[in-house]
Amino acid sequence: MRKFKTESKKLLDLMINSIYTNKEIFLRELISNASDAVDKLNFKSLTDESMHVDQADLAIRVSFDRDARTITVSDNGIGMTAEELERNLGTIAHSGSEEFKTENAESQGDALDIIGQFGVGFYSAFMVAKRVRVVSRAFGEDEAHVWESDGLEGYTIEPGERAEHGTDVILTLRENVPGENGEEGENYDRYLSEWGLKDLIRRYSNYVRYPIQMMVMKSRQKPKPEDAGDNYKPEYEDYEELETINSMTPIWKKRREDVEDADYNEFYKSTFHDFEDPARTISFHAEGALEYDALLFIPGRAPFDLYSKDYEKGLALYSSNVMIMEKCADLLPDYYNFVRGVVDSADVSLNISRETLQQNRQLRAIARRIEKRVTSDLEDMRDNAREAYERFFENFGRGLKYGIYASYGAKATELADLLLFWSAKEQKMITLAEYAKAMPEGQKAIYFAAGDDRDRLSKMPVVTGVLARGFDVLLCTQDVDEFTFQSMREYVARDMPKVYEDDAAREAAEKAVADGAEPELEDRHLELKNVATGDLDLASEDEKKEAEEASKEHADLFSAMKEALGDHVQKVSVSSRLVSADDAPACITTEGPLSLEMEKVLKRGPEGDVEGMPTAQRVLELNAKSPVFAKLAAAQEAGDADKVKLYTGLLYDQALLVEGILPEDPVAFAKNVCELM
């Protein structure tokens, strides 16, 4: 017996037990080696006129014998001599494929697509096999040789027989290992089935450029006997047929104009197990320092587990048509976690097991290009297929908003213009840019209201008051909306008509436009304001003066109402939002960064009942023009403290109900209403 070169026992043990994390990739590695062997022969035949090879006959064959517990991977490639068996299999980590690739680097072109790099893939067979036998006959040689090893101490090389050039790799599988102490055992029998092998081939080697063939069991109806009667029941028989298992030509390597949309849709549905066509298909080829092909899909519907902790994002990563990772998460940012697809590059540096990438900067470069391309296609859908985009946003918009919030606003530049919100004025979904374009002259902020129901929001006093002044309000009904706006702080509206500091400057600009000049444009920074928080500064000078006079005149009333409400409110004041007798008599607003809606969202969270959870600083704003206010003022003037307290409690509780919040004591509220009746 010959000993492995290098520190073989330690290195081989490392190969088998440490380098690979997934046992089932052994078949991928053996098929890749077989593909390299066929590729070498094909390339030699193209460069050496004395070699005559029928390319149509080049193939890889996979078979199994359940009784003998063997799996065989055969090819009719270039084969190996005894010396090559010694060099390639007896010297661990020597890659004959890499050597061949280097020698022919200048002339290989598209005719050669060598997969191997490290010379260790073959030894992955020992993860599942207790013995490996390799029978190989080099092209042009009359004699075959047999390499055999148990993967422990060494190997033997002896003369053998093979009818034609090529290589057979025969694995004798290990025995099953039962599980112990609740841990799962090892079931090697799963590889000894037609279904099991076909599944591995299609998952990892579906796009190897040569046919991977298997004898598969099929069923067919027997011919009906001539003497069969009317009550004859059809009979069936099983038979074996040689079938090509892999697709060979990856759809992502084809030019976009050469592929029908129906073919892309079918590939998407069969590969990613969806029953709906994708909403968008993105196919592109990148060149430069890194060359790769990408085929991406935006699904037509959200998967049921998209927002669960079990959902896994990522694109399938291939290298030279061989799958390396089923879901490479680093290729997608979290806010594009819904994108599915494939990236294939022969240039990425893989680690020795070919299960992960060696250089993160390569991955980051690909990921940046993919992110830009997805963003560009979403913008195109938004502008040219609005109905489809609104369906997309209904499915995946929450993730885009969360991308801004989770990045503390850093991603707002990339994502803000992809967001849609319901316009109370337009009664449709609009973008922030569309909101800004429709603003009346002098508007300096984007106004929004947050809640859980669009109809309720549209009727809230704080919303109707802003609408009455001619300003639009965005109605936000997702729990992440207000957090997103707080992270953004502002929206930069591009190419807005320039606002001039004085009439003279404006008149000069208007004259210039009349004379044929282009209108001046500017980027305008618009604050994002919740209509239920802080001072919106929408009141006219007369309204401000009236509010100030009412506050001074009824200071004692406000003091009594604050005392009645205690710590429930920060203060009671005259409203600058409610300025008409027809408006609501009161509303609740907040001061500080936390709104009532954000408080509700936090309370619904896992730590919502924890002591010390922050609460909104509530303000009860009164409509000084309302008849109710006149009743309050009269009760205060009459010295009826009980009535002031009763009215105060009722106004506060009904304002809470308008906000979708139950009064702290619903029984007391009902009792007070009945007393008034």
Side-chain angles (χ1 to χ4, degrees):
M1 178 178 285
R2 311 183 191 196
K3 298 290 185 181
F4 288 109
K5 294 182 174 63
T6 73
E7 290 290 334
S8 60
K9 190 170 182 179
K10 292 180 182 178
L11 187 55
L12 191 57
D13 182 69
L14 183 68
M15 298 289 168
I16 298 169
N17 299 309
S18 301
I19 289 181
Y20 295 98
T21 58
N22 185 4
K23 282 185 169 63
E24 63 187 22
I25 58 88
F26 79 92
L27 190 61
R28 178 195 76 180
E29 297 298 307
L30 296 181
I31 289 175
S32 296
N33 288 345
S35 175
D36 285 350
V38 176
D39 233 354
K40 292 173 189 176
L41 180 63
N42 184 33
F43 180 74
K44 286 285 189 183
S45 71
L46 295 174
T47 56
D48 186 347
E49 294 181 358
S50 65
M51 295 178 67
H52 301 288
V53 175
D54 188 349
Q55 294 189 9
D57 293 336
L58 298 177
I60 301 164
R61 183 81 63 89
V62 177
S63 60
F64 70 96
D65 185 329
R66 181 178 290 274
D67 295 332
R69 295 186 65 76
T70 60
I71 295 174
T72 302
V73 179
S74 302
D75 66 71
N76 54 0
I78 201 163
M80 289 178 280
T81 63
E83 291 76 15
E84 288 169 332
L85 283 169
E86 170 79 27
R87 185 168 67 252
N88 294 336
L89 303 186
T91 305
I92 297 171
H94 173 81
S95 174
S97 293
E98 182 67 16
E99 190 177 272
F100 186 90
K101 194 175 182 179
T102 303
E103 290 173 357
N104 298 279
E106 294 183 2
S107 58
Q108 61 186 29
D110 294 332
L112 188 64
D113 192 14
I114 294 295
I115 300 169
Q117 294 185 51
F118 301 109
V120 300
F122 168 78
Y123 304 100
S124 66
F126 289 106
M127 291 192 296
V128 299
K130 59 184 178 183
R131 179 163 291 277
V132 177
R133 178 181 172 88
V134 180
V135 182
S136 191
R137 176 177 165 183
F139 183 85
E141 297 287 327
D142 296 327
E143 188 177 8
H145 292 86
V146 180
W147 182 98
E148 191 166 357
S149 175
D150 61 1
L152 296 176
E153 295 294 338
Y155 57 94
T156 60
I157 298 179
E158 298 175 351
E161 292 185 4
R162 198 178 195 276
E164 61 175 1
H165 59 85
T167 302
D168 302 321
V169 180
I170 304 127
L171 280 59
T172 302
L173 295 196
R174 298 170 182 263
E175 300 298 327
N176 294 334
V177 179
E180 294 181 357
N181 301 322
E183 293 187 5
E184 189 176 351
E186 291 288 353
N187 177 21
Y188 297 102
D189 285 354
R190 62 192 171 116
Y191 305 122
L192 293 169
S193 69
E194 178 186 308
W195 180 89
L197 292 176
K198 286 169 69 174
D199 177 61
L200 292 183
I201 291 169
R202 286 174 176 157
R203 197 185 320 165
Y204 292 104
S205 306
N206 198 34
Y207 304 107
V208 168
R209 66 195 297 180
Y210 298 103
I212 303 172
Q213 301 171 335
M214 276 184 67
M215 293 298 292
V216 299
M217 190 66 69
K218 297 186 177 182
S219 180
R220 63 189 171 195
Q221 186 176 330
K222 291 182 179 180
K224 182 178 179 180
E226 294 182 3
D227 58 350
D230 294 338
N231 60 347
Y232 170 76
K233 293 183 178 180
E235 294 182 358
Y236 294 85
E237 63 179 357
D238 293 333
Y239 70 101
E240 283 193 320
E241 182 176 274
L242 189 64
E243 184 178 283
T244 297
I245 307 303
N246 61 323
S247 299
M248 287 181 284
T249 305
I251 194 171
W252 57 82
K253 289 287 183 73
K254 299 178 181 178
R255 293 186 303 175
R256 182 70 173 87
E257 56 268 25
D258 294 337
V259 183
E260 299 287 339
D261 287 341
D263 295 328
Y264 279 132
N265 294 346
E266 184 56 38
F267 172 80
Y268 167 76
K269 288 188 285 190
S270 62
T271 304
F272 300 105
H273 312 294
D274 199 348
F275 56 83
E276 285 189 18
D277 290 341
R280 196 84 165 182
T281 300
I282 307 169
S283 176
F284 66 95
H285 174 77
E287 294 182 343
L290 271 175
E291 187 171 337
Y292 58 91
D293 294 282
L295 178 59
L296 313 174
F297 299 97
I298 296 172
R301 65 182 184 92
F304 71 92
D305 61 343
L306 179 63
Y307 297 110
S308 75
K309 63 179 181 180
D310 298 324
Y311 180 79
E312 291 183 70
K313 68 167 181 168
L315 302 176
L317 177 65
Y318 283 72
S319 181
S320 299
N321 299 349
V322 176
M323 191 175 79
I324 305 304
M325 298 175 70
E326 190 170 12
K327 288 187 177 180
C328 183
D330 293 335
L331 287 172
L332 289 173
D334 286 343
Y335 43 86
Y336 286 158
N337 64 349
F338 52 84
V339 177
R340 296 177 174 178
V342 174
V343 172
D344 189 346
S345 175
D347 293 338
V348 291
S349 302
L350 304 175
N351 75 343
I352 195 169
S353 68
R354 299 204 304 143
E355 292 179 298
T356 55
L357 291 184
Q358 191 77 3
Q359 297 185 37
N360 285 335
R361 68 175 182 274
Q362 294 178 323
L363 207 62
R364 288 195 293 270
I366 297 174
R368 283 195 297 270
R369 176 71 182 273
I370 288 173
E371 180 181 354
K372 288 180 180 178
R373 186 57 189 265
V374 171
T375 302
S376 173
D377 267 67
L378 289 177
E379 289 171 345
D380 180 71
M381 192 194 305
R382 176 200 64 200
D383 297 337
N384 300 307
R386 189 53 170 262
E387 188 175 335
Y389 186 76
E390 289 187 13
R391 286 196 301 271
F392 154 79
F393 194 80
E394 185 178 352
N395 286 320
F396 305 111
R398 179 188 293 272
L400 303 184
K401 296 171 185 176
Y402 189 78
I404 295 175
Y405 169 64
S407 66
Y408 301 99
K411 285 294 177 180
T413 303
E414 292 88 342
L415 299 177
D417 283 324
L418 294 176
L419 304 183
L420 293 179
F421 299 97
W422 184 262
S423 161
K425 193 174 185 180
E426 301 288 339
Q427 290 294 294
K428 64 179 182 180
M429 298 294 282
I430 63 172
T431 65
L432 295 176
E434 289 164 348
Y435 180 102
K437 292 291 184 185
M439 291 191 314
E441 187 177 350
Q443 185 175 346
K444 299 178 181 179
I446 292 176
Y447 301 111
F448 71 93
D452 52 14
D453 182 81
R454 187 190 298 164
D455 290 336
R456 182 180 66 80
L457 280 174
S458 66
K459 299 170 185 174
M460 287 176 57
V462 289
V463 172
T464 56
V466 175
L467 290 172
R469 295 177 184 273
F471 303 126
D472 197 0
V473 180
L474 300 177
L475 306 183
C476 305
T477 55
Q478 289 187 330
D479 51 14
V480 71
D481 287 339
E482 193 169 359
F483 293 91
T484 299
F485 279 148
Q486 281 211 359
S487 299
M488 290 173 63
R489 299 182 185 86
E490 66 174 15
Y491 172 73
V492 181
R494 308 290 179 186
D495 299 329
M496 295 285 288
K498 184 175 177 62
V499 176
Y500 298 97
E501 295 180 359
D502 52 53
D503 293 340
R506 185 175 66 255
E507 289 170 2
E510 289 172 351
K511 184 178 183 305
V513 171
D515 292 338
E518 290 290 326
E520 288 188 276
L521 302 175
E522 66 179 0
D523 293 341
R524 199 176 303 170
H525 293 254
L526 302 173
E527 189 179 352
L528 298 161
K529 285 192 174 184
N530 188 334
V531 295
T533 61
D535 183 7
L536 301 182
D537 194 25
L538 296 180
S540 65
E541 291 302 320
D542 289 341
E543 289 170 342
K544 289 178 182 178
K545 185 177 180 181
E546 288 179 8
E548 186 179 347
E549 290 174 352
S551 296
K552 290 179 180 178
E553 182 181 351
H554 301 286
D556 291 342
L557 172 62
F558 296 142
S559 177
M561 294 180 73
K562 171 64 177 76
E563 185 178 349
L565 293 172
D567 294 335
H568 291 302
V569 298
Q570 194 77 8
K571 65 179 181 180
V572 179
S573 66
V574 173
S575 178
S576 60
R577 295 168 172 82
L578 310 174
V579 295
S580 164
D582 296 329
D583 288 339
C587 67
I588 290 181
T589 61
T590 59
E591 291 183 341
L594 195 66
S595 70
L596 284 174
E597 188 60 29
M598 293 178 76
E599 179 186 295
K600 287 193 287 184
V601 172
L602 293 175
K603 283 186 176 179
R604 289 198 297 266
E607 298 181 356
D609 57 352
V610 175
E611 188 176 347
M613 176 65 68
T615 57
Q617 299 177 17
R618 302 177 184 184
V619 175
L620 180 62
E621 294 190 7
L622 302 177
N623 180 357
K625 299 274 183 76
S626 169
V628 173
F629 184 80
K631 290 280 187 182
L632 270 168
Q636 175 67 21
E637 190 175 344
D640 193 340
D642 291 339
K643 183 175 284 189
V644 169
K645 186 175 181 180
L646 174 64
Y647 287 178
T648 299
L650 283 170
L651 281 176
Y652 177 71
D653 285 344
Q654 66 87 20
L656 284 179
L657 286 172
V658 170
E659 293 289 340
I661 302 174
L662 282 176
E664 191 171 295
D665 189 347
V667 174
F669 174 70
K671 181 181 177 182
N672 290 339
V673 171
C674 290
E675 280 187 23
L676 277 179
M677 293 173 66

